[in-house]
Amino acid sequence: MRIFVSYCHANAVQQAKLQVHLAQLKRDEVEAWFDGEMEAGDKLNTEISRKLRAADIFVALMSPEYIASRWCQMEYKRAMGRRARGFMRVVVVVVRPCAWKDTGASDLKVLPRDGRPVSDWRSMDHAFADVAEGIKGTVKAVRARPPGTAPSRPAETTRSAAAPAPKKRPAPAKGGRKAPAKVGAGATTAKGKRLARSRAAG
């Protein structure tokens, strides 16, 4: 199970706190990736794109800085596109009061509960404990019913190998006339019957 954490570096403290509260999920084979885990020498756009494509859940730490960031919005729009195709779940975490409803997130799962910003909670730990519980529920839902995939193209209809081949029509005789039907070996023609009676009379 892979989680892609998208955040603005102005909210690095909140991102770090989220990672601490996701520790138990990480022990349960859940990867919560963020760009701080990139190795030296990795190409920024290439590595982020690869991790985003591989993720099952996209967590956006929404704040005024996140909405103002061009790069964060690029990640968010890509995630929303994958969500629309059934490839990914998107979870919005409201870090500070902002216009998150204008980002198309009004019908998404928003954390902490009731969309109350983290900054309005008694402590950051209380807020992110609630966020971690919400993400845990999303992980369970994804594991129970994996995200949908793009619809597969319908298989072409093929004739069964056991189906009989269509019968061929007899080729017409030369001159356009039909070939005379063959007479069986035991059959007697009307002409043959007359010949037999004349011989018997003689």
Side-chain angles (χ1 to χ4, degrees), residues 69-80:
S69 169
R70 176 190 171 199
W71 298 109
C72 291
Q73 288 306 297
M74 286 176 63
E75 291 176 2
Y76 180 72
K77 288 179 181 178
R78 285 187 61 185
M80 291 293 277

Side-chain angles (χ1 to χ4, degrees), residues 1-2 22-31 136 139-140 143:
M1 181 66 59
R2 299 178 180 89
L22 293 179
Q24 188 58 47
L25 273 178
K26 294 177 184 178
R27 296 186 188 103
D28 192 24
E29 299 182 353
V30 175
E31 175 191 14
K136 187 189 302 182
V139 168
K140 288 181 180 179
R143 282 177 167 169

Side-chain angles (χ1 to χ4, degrees), residues 2-197:
R2 299 178 180 89
I3 298 174
F4 184 103
V5 180
S6 176
Y7 71 106
C8 177
H9 287 181
N11 305 126
V13 172
Q14 290 86 349
Q15 195 284 138
K17 183 64 73 173
L18 173 64
Q19 293 291 336
V20 171
H21 281 271
L22 293 179
Q24 188 58 47
L25 273 178
K26 294 177 184 178
R27 296 186 188 103
D28 192 24
E29 299 182 353
V30 175
E31 175 191 14
W33 188 89
F34 65 104
D35 61 9
E37 295 186 352
M38 293 178 63
E39 299 292 338
D42 286 343
K43 290 185 177 180
L44 186 64
N45 292 340
T46 302
E47 181 66 4
I48 289 176
S49 295
R50 186 176 69 83
K51 290 292 185 179
L52 185 55
R53 286 195 304 269
D56 304 291
I57 300 170
F58 181 93
V59 175
L61 300 189
M62 199 70 70
S63 68
E65 293 83 4
Y66 186 90
I67 294 175
S69 169
R70 176 190 171 199
W71 298 109
C72 291
Q73 288 306 297
M74 286 176 63
E75 291 176 2
Y76 180 72
K77 288 179 181 178
R78 285 187 61 185
M80 291 293 277
R82 291 182 63 78
R83 171 185 176 267
R85 297 193 297 274
F87 295 151
M88 175 181 281
R89 298 285 186 95
V90 175
V91 177
V92 169
V93 177
V94 184
V95 174
R96 296 198 356 259
C98 58
W100 60 267
K101 291 183 180 179
D102 295 337
T103 66
S106 57
D107 62 337
L108 298 182
K109 183 177 181 65
V110 179
L111 298 171
R113 62 176 177 271
D114 302 325
R116 181 183 172 193
V118 171
S119 59
D120 288 356
W121 285 65
R122 183 174 59 184
S123 72
M124 195 181 297
D125 280 318
H126 280 89
F128 277 106
D130 184 85
V131 169
E133 283 299 313
I135 293 175
K136 187 189 302 182
T138 303
V139 168
K140 288 181 180 179
V142 172
R143 282 177 167 169
R145 190 194 317 186
T149 56
S152 56
R153 296 176 64 182
E156 295 182 3
T157 304
T158 55
R159 191 176 64 203
S160 171
K167 294 182 179 180
K168 294 183 179 180
R169 291 185 176 183
K174 291 183 179 180
R177 296 181 181 179
K178 291 183 179 180
K182 292 183 179 180
V183 179
T188 305
T189 63
K191 182 177 179 181
K193 287 181 180 181
R194 290 196 298 271
L195 182 60
R197 283 199 297 269

